[in-house]
Amino acid sequence: MEWETVIGLEIHVQLATKTKIFSGSSTAFGAEPNTQASAVDLALPGTLPVFNENALRMAVMFGLAIDAEIGKRSVFERKNYFYPDLPKGYQTTQLAEPVVGRGHVDIELADGRTQRVRIHHAHLEEDAGKSLHEDFHGMTGIDLNRAGTPLIEIVTEPDMRTAEQAVAFARKLHSLVTSLGICDGNMAEGSLRFDVNVSVRPKGTETLGTRTETKNLNSFRFMEEAIELEVERQIEVIEGGGEIRQETRLYNGDTKVARAMRSKEEANDYRYFPCPDLLPIVIDDAYIEAVRASLPILPAQWKATFIEQYGLSDYDASVLSSNNVQAAYFDQVARRCGDGKLAANWVMGELARLLNQHDTDIKASPVSAEQLGGLLERIKDDTISGNIAKKVFEAMWLDGGTADEIIEAKGLKQVTDSGAIEGIVDQVIASSDKQVEQYKAAEPDKRGKMLGFFMGQVMKASGGKANPGAVTGILKQKLDALCD
Amino acid sequence: MFDKTLAELAGGLAAGDFSSLELTESCLSRIKSQDAAYNSFITVTEELALGQARAADSLRAAGKAGMFTGLPLAHKDIFCTQGVRTSCASRMLDNFIAPYDATLVRKFNEAGAVTLGKTNMDEFAMGSSNESSFYGPSRNPWDTDRVPGGSSGGSAAAIAARLVPAATGTDTGGSIRQPAALCGITGLKPTYGRVSRYGMIAFASSLDQAGPMARTAEDAALMLKVMAGFDPMDSTCVEQDVPDYSASLNDSLEGLRIGLPKEYFADNLNPAIAEQVQNAVREFEKLGATVKEISLPNTALAVPAYYIIAPAEASTNLSRFDGVRYGYRCDNPVDLEDLYKRSRGEGFGDEVKRRIMVGTYALSAGYYDAYYRKAQQARRLIQQDFIQALSEVDVIMGPTTPQPAFRIGEKTSDPVQMYMEDIYTLALNLAGLPGMSVPCGQVQGLPVGLQIIGNYFAEAKLLNVAHRFQQATDWHTQAPASIKG
């Protein structure tokens, strides 16, 4: 039987506020355990929460960016369960009236198609602390630094059908929240955590199969692996005559093994009810419009600009707009050199290659957009060839400097003087009897393809500096003259 | 000196008749020699009090004394006091030394008040008799075989016994007004949001409100001026100016419109109490007030609604007491579940456990709509009753309690009978309105309380009405026969 996979995601995004959602403690990552836990975070008797308005602003930014309905009234509720890293014995979250309602995110697939993933809602809540099971023999340590860090939990509709789509969505979301500046995007530190709901059904049927939820995936690769493994498992269970149990699962990215954590029957009754310590959040149109006015340029806007202004393909524009820093970088390169397609090729090609090779990102690129734009300008005006430009770029990466300085210092300026080129062409023709004979013997419409050999020889003899356009013209003229 | 009110003591301090240190020592010595009979204190903070008294005297010597400088009082043991055990009368917090001051405590400290100690109460403020205290019941100075009421029973008993001139209390369903009535003192529950709840250990967050307990309305006015006001640490605290409550105490009551809800004079009420309340109302007529009967038709919903909402909130407010970070932890837990079960099982008393279970049940999947949501609907109806009534009258009056103080142990076996103690008081908490109880008579030698209910933020009006009544009567000056000079 052919199976169809159905995937929905829940994503926890830590908001980049300086202080916690209900207390004045710092949210910075990596401090000594419990040094960023105040009386409120420790849930000492008598303490009360006070809502951090900045978390609201960021949640509204997200809502506007996904074209969602913004909840003009949203309500915090208590989700009750006992756990040592949950100091109050309940998590303050939103349920019935979340701050962000229905919205959508469009993702680009590898085949160039665009797919819409609907967002069911996104709500504000507080993060829990951490239980530390290592280092304490037979005991568990509790670190409450993270407790109270503001989160938005984003819940999608089950709109994805493959692991690839889910990862494309996850990447898009990562790009969106980092572009908005509402999350630092550091997945290794848990700033963005994915729960995946997976079910399978016979292809062509409508009813959803029983789903499982694999929690807390903090890398795109683990997410892809976890989904593929779970789909395989579910199909195997069903084809073996078994039934899928609704359960929560954990995937270990290091061992590549997943296991069930708890089943639906063991699940808590969370006894949600409106938190009486916090008033409903009520916002008006003026507030929403002020937040809208403060939004940075978003990936979708960058993308539209890149297609319209620079004539980029949909795919290139998507890749380049996927994060704000890269988009702004590309935009500057393109404006400097006046050629969007050339700029795109370089940013996605040479630059990406070196960044990857040095395991760094565009924020830390040693070559600035201004430098790269200056280099491409010299390709455009025929000062250097594309191949020479790669050498200049590598020199730039290692030692800095402008394109002009490097070209000058290394004597890489392109030879466009036709007299000098003619001399080299003559030499090459003179020393390539066999190839000249073949050229002459060929049908005239096939000769163009044979120019490549001569081109290569000429470029080699010129040390790559000969202007390829000029070489082609001269070569063709001289060889064709021999054929007459 | 022990029989003086705060206002009189403030006068004596200002005139130099005695120092704050002398006054404080006198209070401490009375507590030491007499409180064994009343058990009204859980902790006496002698060192702290003497230090504060000396500081107050220095301040006065430097000409920097304010109205409250050097005046002694006690705090209900529900308010966090830095460096002092704050137990909430529970085994759970018997070892808890608060690392910070509640906003209300801080305000009194900043005003120069002297903290004599922490008063007894029902465990986590859950009770109407003070019998659920881990430290044993407090006793009513009018008859030490009887309860002082609750949950702020220790504060009320200490004031009635003239151990302290005043004390703070909290009122979730009547916990200031009912013990005030049973002990023959004056107590005020302010409008919800008038006084910060920060540092006050939560019972039911949407109902809890701190307020003053004293012998006179005049003293309650002085205290409320210190306590009230916006606090950025409490999101439910209302940003509204605090009037000078003392300034309007003597305003005329000519034309005051009093409403008497017929539901408050029905079957449950002891006829002798009804008579005392009617006498009080006639006193107001002499002062120029007009009286009419009104109706609060949803009164019968108050007890059931309250006993869903309050336990529901309490059941989650008390989840933080889990034996993990502070408070009682059982010996040698074998695993996490054992730690939770035994710490909470051993740390909480019966009434607290009962309410946690009721509240947990009421919020459970499948029951939420039938209980919690219905109770919230009832709450709105009750609130509308009051809003409607208060559009026709200025204040509503009635009995504070249906019966005078009952015997210790009399109602412990029947929780529902105990809950009925609060039938006239808890509707106000559901509505968020302010209310007072002032002594208005006696039945078989036990005090009777008159409840006065006003509109939102009408505390000044309530204090004015109560003060004029106390100018015309002497019920508030009567002391239990048992107390010694």
Side-chain angles (χ1 to χ4, degrees):
Chain A
M1 189 187 297
E2 238 195 299
W3 296 92
E4 181 178 53
T5 305
V6 177
I7 303 165
L9 299 180
E10 289 166 28
I11 308 98
H12 288 92
V13 176
Q14 282 187 344
L15 296 177
T17 54
K18 289 200 172 56
T19 59
K20 293 185 179 178
I21 187 167
F22 299 122
S23 83
S25 308
S26 166
T27 54
F29 180 85
E32 281 294 303
N34 299 312
T35 54
Q36 290 171 181
S38 68
V40 174
D41 307 320
L42 288 166
L44 288 186
T47 55
L48 295 170
V50 176
F51 180 51
N52 180 346
E53 192 267 334
N54 220 10
L56 171 68
R57 192 180 55 80
M58 290 183 178
V60 172
M61 284 174 81
F62 175 76
L64 293 173
I66 61 160
D67 205 12
E69 304 155 17
I70 304 298
K72 292 217 177 133
R73 178 189 143 98
S74 59
V75 175
F76 282 110
E77 304 203 26
R78 293 181 181 177
K79 177 183 182 180
N80 295 285
Y81 64 98
F82 284 98
Y83 205 70
D85 59 23
L86 188 73
K88 296 190 294 292
Y90 55 81
Q91 181 193 31
T92 308
T93 179
Q94 299 182 321
L95 182 73
E97 298 176 80
V99 63
V100 175
R102 292 181 182 285
H104 57 83
V105 171
D106 292 334
I107 57 172
E108 288 77 30
L109 304 177
D111 62 10
R113 283 187 306 122
T114 299
Q115 188 192 335
R116 174 155 290 191
V117 174
R118 292 167 301 157
I119 303 296
H120 180 269
H121 78 272
H123 63 259
L124 277 161
E125 63 183 24
E126 60 184 338
D127 211 340
K130 282 180 184 163
S131 294
L132 311 168
H133 299 293
E134 303 87 19
D135 306 336
F136 301 92
H137 303 285
M139 294 190 289
T140 297
I142 306 293
D143 177 5
L144 296 177
N145 284 353
R146 195 180 71 175
T149 297
L151 299 173
I152 45 173
E153 181 177 333
I154 302 160
V155 180
T156 76
E157 297 286 357
D159 284 353
M160 289 149 281
R161 294 291 173 268
T162 63
E164 182 211 344
Q165 290 175 13
V167 170
F169 172 81
R171 286 187 186 279
K172 184 72 184 250
L173 196 77
H174 183 273
S175 129
L176 188 62
V177 295
T178 52
S179 296
L180 284 167
I182 62 171
C183 175
D184 68 16
N186 192 327
M187 295 176 66
E189 291 176 1
S191 299
L192 212 66
R193 314 192 290 269
F194 294 88
D195 300 343
V196 295
N197 288 295
V198 175
S199 64
V200 298
R201 63 184 172 195
K203 203 162 184 131
T205 58
E206 285 296 318
T207 320
L208 289 169
T210 304
R211 68 187 153 87
T212 63
E213 180 179 28
T214 304
K215 280 188 114 60
N216 266 330
L217 298 161
N218 66 349
S219 93
F220 298 128
R221 189 161 54 86
F222 291 168
M223 190 174 138
E224 187 166 11
E225 291 168 0
I227 293 172
E228 278 166 359
L229 193 67
E230 178 58 12
V231 169
E232 236 173 80
R233 187 189 71 86
Q234 289 191 11
I235 293 174
E236 215 170 276
V237 168
I238 298 171
E239 290 186 340
E243 270 185 15
I244 301 301
R245 286 202 318 162
Q246 187 170 340
E247 63 190 8
T248 304
R249 300 177 64 82
L250 279 181
Y251 175 71
N252 185 326
D254 298 323
T255 59
K256 312 291 175 208
V257 173
R259 63 177 174 85
M261 199 161 73
R262 59 170 182 262
S263 75
K264 192 190 174 191
E265 291 72 44
E266 300 164 55
N268 283 306
D269 175 357
Y270 291 120
R271 308 189 316 278
Y272 282 93
F273 83 112
C275 179
D277 287 328
L278 291 159
L279 303 173
I281 306 169
V282 178
I283 53 177
D284 57 14
D285 289 327
Y287 180 88
I288 295 171
E289 290 317 308
V291 174
R292 195 192 302 279
S294 76
L295 289 179
I297 301 174
L298 295 174
Q301 294 165 278
W302 279 121
K303 183 180 165 183
T305 307
F306 294 166
I307 291 172
E308 198 175 309
Q309 200 165 319
Y310 301 123
L312 299 194
S313 71
D314 194 89
Y315 178 79
D316 287 358
S318 291
V319 171
L320 288 167
S321 62
S322 68
N323 82 65
N324 237 10
V325 180
Q326 178 170 269
Y329 186 103
F330 161 75
D331 192 53
Q332 200 184 341
V333 173
R335 268 191 274 167
R336 177 73 163 78
C337 74
D339 186 335
K341 286 183 180 168
L342 182 66
N345 285 340
W346 274 77
V347 171
M348 293 164 64
E350 279 305 287
L351 177 66
R353 188 178 66 79
L354 282 190
L355 290 173
N356 189 36
Q357 192 179 317
H358 290 88
D359 193 27
T360 183
D361 67 18
I362 201 154
K363 254 186 270 183
S365 168
V367 175
S368 70
E370 183 62 26
Q371 280 173 295
L372 180 55
L375 174 61
L376 303 189
E377 200 178 23
R378 292 294 163 260
I379 298 176
K380 287 284 288 178
D381 68 9
D382 285 341
T383 307
I384 53 172
S385 68
N387 273 333
I388 292 290
K390 286 179 189 172
K391 288 183 190 161
V392 177
F393 184 65
E394 279 178 27
M396 212 176 245
W397 181 281
L398 294 172
D399 304 319
T402 66
D404 289 344
E405 285 162 2
I406 297 166
I407 291 165
E408 184 63 36
K410 298 198 182 240
L412 295 172
K413 198 165 176 185
Q414 190 158 252
V415 179
T416 45
D417 169 40
S418 55
I421 294 175
E422 274 181 41
I424 303 171
V425 168
D426 288 341
Q427 272 175 28
V428 168
I429 289 175
S431 58
S432 310
D433 290 346
K434 193 174 144 204
Q435 283 79 9
V436 172
E437 285 312 309
Q438 287 172 351
Y439 188 89
K440 282 158 76 176
E443 295 293 319
D445 61 334
K446 302 261 171 72
R447 285 174 184 160
K449 282 187 185 168
M450 305 178 73
L451 275 177
F453 166 77
F454 298 100
M455 274 293 291
Q457 294 299 309
V458 174
M459 294 308 287
K460 195 171 159 192
S462 75
K465 288 186 285 183
N467 179 313
V471 173
T472 310
I474 293 168
L475 256 178
K476 200 164 167 6
Q477 184 196 344
K478 293 207 180 243
L479 284 168
D480 288 348
L482 292 174
C483 299
D484 295 337
Chain B
M1 194 144 54
F2 66 87
D3 209 22
K4 288 190 188 321
T5 65
L6 280 180
E8 289 161 355
L9 292 170
L13 287 168
D17 296 347
F18 45 83
S19 68
S20 175
L21 187 62
E22 287 167 330
L23 172 58
T24 301
E25 280 172 337
S26 138
C27 290
L28 289 169
S29 120
R30 265 186 80 78
I31 294 168
K32 210 173 284 178
S33 64
Q34 301 196 14
D35 194 42
Y38 313 119
N39 195 28
S40 66
F41 277 82
I42 291 174
T43 304
V44 178
T45 52
E46 184 168 350
E47 300 263 306
L48 173 68
L50 293 173
Q52 287 175 327
R54 286 192 193 96
D57 286 335
S58 312
L59 218 56
R60 190 172 300 280
K64 292 179 186 162
M67 175 66 222
F68 230 91
T69 305
L71 289 177
L73 51 72
H75 291 301
K76 185 177 182 180
D77 206 18
I78 199 169
F79 295 105
C80 283
T81 39
Q82 188 166 2
V84 175
R85 175 174 63 180
T86 300
S87 74
C88 235
S90 179
R91 183 185 193 190
M92 185 58 87
L93 291 177
D94 183 45
N95 64 2
F96 180 66
I97 309 293
Y100 74 103
D101 278 327
T103 298
L104 172 151
V105 171
R106 177 177 56 73
K107 284 183 163 194
F108 273 114
N109 289 345
E110 286 169 1
V114 171
T115 304
L116 296 167
K118 310 290 293 289
T119 55
N120 205 350
M121 54 184 282
D122 281 293
E123 184 181 7
F124 283 104
M126 297 176 188
S128 309
S129 68
N130 223 294
E131 291 167 289
S132 70
S133 170
F134 175 60
Y135 303 94
S138 180
R139 292 167 180 274
N140 193 321
W142 293 84
D143 176 351
T144 52
D145 288 336
R146 292 179 187 267
V147 303
S151 65
S152 310
S155 290
I159 294 165
R162 273 57 175 172
L163 303 182
V164 297
T168 55
T170 64
D171 191 317
T172 304
S175 283
I176 287 174
R177 291 160 288 153
Q178 185 254 14
L182 267 44
C183 289
I185 65 155
T186 301
L188 167 63
K189 180 204 100 71
T191 307
Y192 183 78
R194 179 75 284 190
V195 177
S196 170
R197 293 187 296 117
Y198 190 75
M200 172 178 141
I201 298 174
F203 160 17
S205 310
S206 75
L207 304 164
D208 295 344
Q209 184 61 203
M213 300 175 80
R215 297 239 307 284
T216 64
E218 184 184 22
D219 284 2
L222 290 175
M223 291 174 77
L224 188 60
K225 177 76 180 162
V226 175
M227 301 163 82
F230 179 65
D231 179 7
M233 300 295 278
D234 175 2
S235 309
T236 61
C237 198
V238 179
E239 204 159 2
Q240 181 160 332
D241 289 341
V242 178
D244 181 354
Y245 297 109
S246 302
S248 51
L249 285 175
N250 285 305
D251 286 2
S252 165
L253 299 188
E254 196 66 49
L256 179 80
R257 296 169 301 167
I258 298 172
L260 301 180
K262 60 179 183 201
E263 293 81 3
Y264 284 23
F265 294 87
D267 301 347
N268 298 312
L269 182 60
N270 179 326
I273 288 188
E275 195 187 324
Q276 301 290 339
V277 171
Q278 294 292 1
N279 288 342
V281 170
R282 271 191 288 282
E283 204 62 53
F284 282 104
E285 285 178 312
K286 285 189 219 161
L287 294 169
T290 61
V291 177
K292 74 178 215 177
E293 186 185 87
I294 58 164
S295 175
L296 299 169
N298 292 294
T299 295
L301 298 177
V303 170
Y306 178 89
Y307 279 98
I308 295 296
I309 292 169
E313 293 183 9
S315 71
T316 96
N317 279 334
L318 269 59
S319 292
R320 65 186 59 196
F321 305 107
D322 56 6
V324 173
R325 296 168 314 287
Y326 52 78
Y328 180 79
R329 178 186 283 198
C330 66
D331 288 333
N332 305 314
V334 298
D335 59 19
L336 183 61
E337 194 169 316
D338 187 44
L339 169 77
Y340 284 150
K341 283 185 172 165
R342 283 203 290 125
S343 297
R344 289 169 65 81
E346 295 162 16
F348 288 136
D350 287 348
E351 183 59 25
V352 171
K353 285 183 209 167
R354 184 177 298 123
R355 296 201 194 189
I356 289 174
M357 285 191 284
V358 167
T360 301
Y361 182 80
L363 291 176
S364 296
Y367 298 102
Y368 182 92
D369 287 339
Y371 294 109
Y372 187 77
R373 197 182 301 282
K374 271 274 184 304
Q376 290 289 15
Q377 287 165 354
R379 182 177 190 169
R380 275 190 289 280
L381 293 176
I382 290 161
Q383 187 179 28
Q384 282 159 15
D385 278 1
F386 279 108
I387 290 172
Q388 170 60 31
L390 288 166
S391 69
E392 295 170 14
V393 298
D394 300 310
V395 290
I396 296 169
M397 289 186 188
T400 307
T401 63
Q403 302 288 343
F406 48 93
R407 287 183 192 285
I408 292 172
E410 191 180 323
K411 297 190 179 185
T412 42
S413 59
D414 185 352
V416 175
Q417 209 197 341
M418 184 80 88
Y419 298 165
M420 294 309 283
E421 260 302 293
D422 298 328
I423 50 171
Y424 306 132
T425 49
L426 40 75
L428 253 68
N429 300 76
L430 292 169
L433 289 163
M436 279 190 88
S437 180
V438 293
C440 74
Q442 286 175 11
V443 171
Q444 291 161 345
L446 295 169
V448 171
L450 169 72
Q451 185 173 217
I452 313 170
I453 300 164
N455 222 325
Y456 295 102
F457 296 99
E459 287 82 3
K461 171 59 72 183
L462 294 183
L463 289 161
N464 162 222
V465 169
H467 179 70
R468 291 302 300 249
F469 180 72
Q470 293 182 338
Q471 295 298 100
T473 61
D474 66 354
W475 297 110
H476 63 290
T477 66
Q478 303 206 7
S482 74
I483 69 156
K484 303 177 196 74

